[in-house]
Amino acid sequence: MENFLNDAVVSINDFLWGYVLIFLLVGTGIFLTIRTRGIQLFGLGHGVKLTRGVYDKKEDAGDLSHFQALTTALSATVGVGNIAGVAIAIKMGGPGALFWMWVTAAVGMATKFTSCTLAVKYRKINEDGTVSGGPMYFIENGLGQSWKPLAAAFAVFATVGTFGAGCMAQAGELSRAFVTLFRSDVTAEMIAASEGGLLYSLYLKTAYFIQLHPTLANFGVGVVVSAMVAVVILGGIKRIGNVTSKLVPFMAVFYVTAALTIIIMNMGSVPAALVTVFSDAFTGTAAAGGFTGATFILALKWGVKRGLFSNESGQGSAPIAHATAKTNYPAREGYVALLEPFIDTIIICSLTGLVIIITGAWTAEGDIGGADMTAHAFQLGLGKLHNVAVEARLGRLLVTFGVILFAYSTALSWSYYGDRCIGYLFGLKAVVPYRVVFCLFLIVGATIKIDLVWNLCDLMNGAMALPNLIALILLSGVVVKELNEYKMKIPDFDREISGKINGSSENG
């Protein structure tokens, strides 16, 4: 039954991701880039100032500060897509897929600006004082009641999607990374003869137990993750924002530092890796090692697909978090939101991709992909240090720790996306039951076949994007108006940026 379902989902994905979504995602991003006059080129500086809290006012409407809203959205985007998703893209599409991830991110910055500006403009203040927003609200309130079926469709797709992309996929990769960390041939005799101290003995016993009972180990990991997520999400968005505002900066610095260490150690290989990325993006990749080769179409397809999963530009999930920002200016949160694809894909995914390419992990023999490939790349990269055995183990430990942090933070934010969609469909009374079910599905995700989960993620990501992209195109004029009005109100030291966006001086 599972294989039949997986084959059916793959068939739908092949159609949806063949040309339809690639054209819509990139095309919409280009269209919005033109309409906002290159907002991603000239808006970064202002977005950074906003995120630093330069303009924060406690009395403004909303639940979270600009920084908390950004980190909540980033905690959903900076997930296993940055570790496992990049590896899958390169495995299936070759190094050229990384280039198309960059393209998705570049045009996606304008898409993210547009969607998050609309999310704040059309958000709803609930009876309990909390905020609800996102595509379902700006579709219904921005386009009119006749468009409500499209808004409901997005909410349904997003709710189902939370159980895939934000729940089971995260738990599955986390569980597999944890079990793989302890994968080794351990015997009872080795444990009995161990003289390596308490920690080493505990490691051997854990590895032996996982070796004998892998399914039970996966289940145990799922239970622990479920409990850790429940502690946070049952407290609502403010508790989620407090946790992610501390967790996201830490995990980003941790992972970036580890990846940069390997890249610096292999600096001589970086130019060749970049040449490979750019050339293979348009010509495809010949077979090498365990890699079977890829065409230009595969590089494009997998780059855009995994790019969307990574930074969620055009998907419509991040606006749900940004709608909670404390601000009275919708465009202000749009500036903050455009930082996401830059941080997530241009920086973090690029580092992962370069580590995989310069170490040659993408050509490894055997069926290796996802977080396992990235872990293998870190093993190879750190193995150049003086103690190969110790540093190789350290490489896998670093990636495992990264997967745990990324998956946990992603689950927190996606649970919130789901409870806002459930609240839109059935009212706020359905939110708490949804959160309980979400935590239970984390256990399911830790124990089932991961390929099916990833394919379901692609299906729901694509389904969510369709109604969202339609609304962004139709409401782009509203965003341009909001942007122009906002630029007339920002302080003098930002007028120069506004002038560049307009192609003229502020007084012109």
Side-chain angles (χ1 to χ4, degrees):
M1 181 62 185
E2 186 173 314
N3 289 333
F4 172 79
L5 180 60
N6 188 54
D7 291 341
V9 171
V10 169
S11 297
I12 298 173
N13 281 339
D14 286 343
F15 168 76
L16 195 59
W17 286 101
Y19 294 102
V20 177
L21 276 173
I22 290 175
F23 174 78
L24 282 175
L25 284 167
V26 178
T28 301
I30 294 172
F31 170 75
L32 295 174
T33 296
I34 295 171
R35 290 230 63 182
T36 59
R37 302 195 178 185
I39 192 71
Q40 61 267 65
L41 297 177
F42 304 110
L44 279 173
H46 189 59
V48 171
K49 290 177 183 176
L50 288 164
T51 305
R52 286 169 47 208
V54 173
Y55 307 109
D56 282 0
K57 293 182 180 180
K58 292 183 179 180
E59 64 271 20
D60 284 349
D63 294 326
L64 303 178
S65 67
H66 289 298
F67 179 71
Q68 289 177 324
L70 177 64
T71 55
T72 299
L74 272 174
S75 69
T77 60
V78 181
V80 295
N82 300 88
I83 296 177
V86 178
I88 291 172
I90 293 175
K91 176 184 178 181
M92 303 301 295
L98 184 59
F99 172 84
W100 294 110
M101 292 185 75
W102 293 339
V103 172
T104 303
V107 299
M109 291 170 72
T111 307
K112 191 76 68 120
F113 173 89
T114 303
S115 61
C116 294
T117 296
L118 291 170
V120 175
K121 181 173 178 60
Y122 294 107
R123 66 187 178 183
K124 174 186 176 184
I125 306 298
N126 301 310
E127 294 179 358
D128 61 358
T130 60
V131 173
S132 293
M136 56 280 193
Y137 289 97
F138 63 68
I139 291 174
E140 179 181 345
N141 299 326
L143 296 177
Q145 288 295 312
S146 61
W147 292 84
K148 189 169 183 176
L150 191 68
F154 173 86
V156 170
F157 294 147
T159 300
V160 177
T162 61
F163 292 111
C167 180
M168 293 191 292
Q170 309 302 320
E173 288 293 348
L174 190 157
S175 175
R176 187 163 68 171
F178 181 82
V179 170
T180 302
L181 178 66
F182 289 94
R183 184 184 297 158
S184 58
D185 295 325
V186 179
T187 64
E189 291 74 17
M190 289 174 61
I191 297 174
S194 173
E195 298 180 356
L198 179 62
L199 289 178
Y200 184 65
S201 176
L202 181 62
Y203 169 81
L204 289 177
K205 290 178 180 178
T206 302
Y208 187 58
F209 176 83
I210 291 175
Q211 184 176 301
L212 294 177
H213 310 285
T215 303
L216 188 58
N218 287 331
F219 177 80
V221 172
V223 170
V224 172
V225 173
S226 177
M228 291 175 63
V229 169
V231 168
V232 178
I233 70 173
L234 293 178
I237 185 58
K238 291 187 177 180
R239 186 181 295 177
I240 293 173
N242 287 332
V243 172
T244 57
S245 65
K246 298 176 179 62
L247 183 60
V248 169
F250 168 76
M251 70 185 193
V253 170
F254 159 78
Y255 188 74
V256 166
T257 301
L260 278 176
T261 299
I262 295 176
I263 291 172
I264 292 171
M265 290 168 55
N266 296 270
M267 188 59 71
S269 302
V270 172
L274 291 174
V275 168
T276 300
V277 170
F278 283 101
S279 63
D280 289 5
F282 300 95
T283 62
T285 310
F291 179 69
T292 56
T295 63
F296 155 71
I297 293 298
L298 282 176
L300 174 64
K301 173 182 175 180
W302 282 98
V304 174
K305 184 190 292 188
R306 293 271 70 86
L308 171 64
F309 182 78
S310 174
N311 61 58
E312 299 174 21
S313 295
Q315 183 177 326
S317 51
I320 300 174
H322 284 283
T324 65
K326 284 181 174 292
T327 182
N328 294 326
Y329 302 111
R332 180 165 281 179
E333 191 58 24
Y335 277 105
V336 174
L338 64 80
L339 297 175
E340 277 182 53
F342 183 82
I343 296 171
D344 175 270
T345 306
I346 303 298
I347 296 178
I348 299 180
C349 285
S350 295
L351 293 176
T352 302
L354 284 175
V355 169
I356 290 171
I357 295 169
I358 64 178
T359 59
W362 63 285
T363 62
E365 298 288 346
D367 184 18
I368 179 173
D372 287 344
M373 178 182 288
T374 305
H376 181 57
F378 272 71
Q379 283 181 327
L380 294 173
L382 292 174
K384 288 190 173 183
L385 297 178
H386 64 283
N387 189 327
V388 175
V390 172
E391 303 305 338
R393 188 178 300 166
L394 175 62
R396 180 164 292 279
L397 181 62
L398 288 173
V399 172
T400 301
F401 187 52
V403 169
I404 291 172
L405 289 177
F406 287 7
Y408 178 64
S409 67
T410 299
L412 295 180
S413 293
W414 270 87
S415 71
Y416 178 71
Y417 297 164
D419 79 39
R420 292 303 91 178
C421 291
I422 282 288
Y424 174 83
L425 293 169
F426 304 109
L428 295 180
K429 64 180 181 299
V431 168
V432 173
Y434 162 81
R435 292 172 181 169
V436 173
V437 173
F438 182 91
C439 291
L440 293 177
F441 266 77
L442 286 167
I443 301 175
V444 175
T447 56
I448 68 172
K449 187 178 179 181
I450 197 65
D451 290 345
L452 173 59
V453 175
W454 276 105
N455 289 328
L456 284 171
C457 289
D458 289 334
L459 178 59
M460 288 301 103
N461 287 350
M464 289 170 63
L466 290 173
N468 181 58
L469 292 174
I470 292 172
L472 295 185
I473 293 171
L474 296 177
L475 292 171
S476 59
V478 176
V479 174
V480 172
K481 181 180 178 181
E482 287 289 335
L483 177 58
N484 289 335
E485 290 179 356
Y486 177 67
K487 286 187 293 186
M488 297 302 296
K489 299 173 183 178
I490 59 179
D492 291 340
F493 53 77
D494 286 321
R495 296 285 174 100
E496 182 181 352
I497 294 176
S498 299
K500 289 179 180 178
I501 296 174
N502 282 324
S504 62
S505 70
E506 193 67 27
N507 297 322

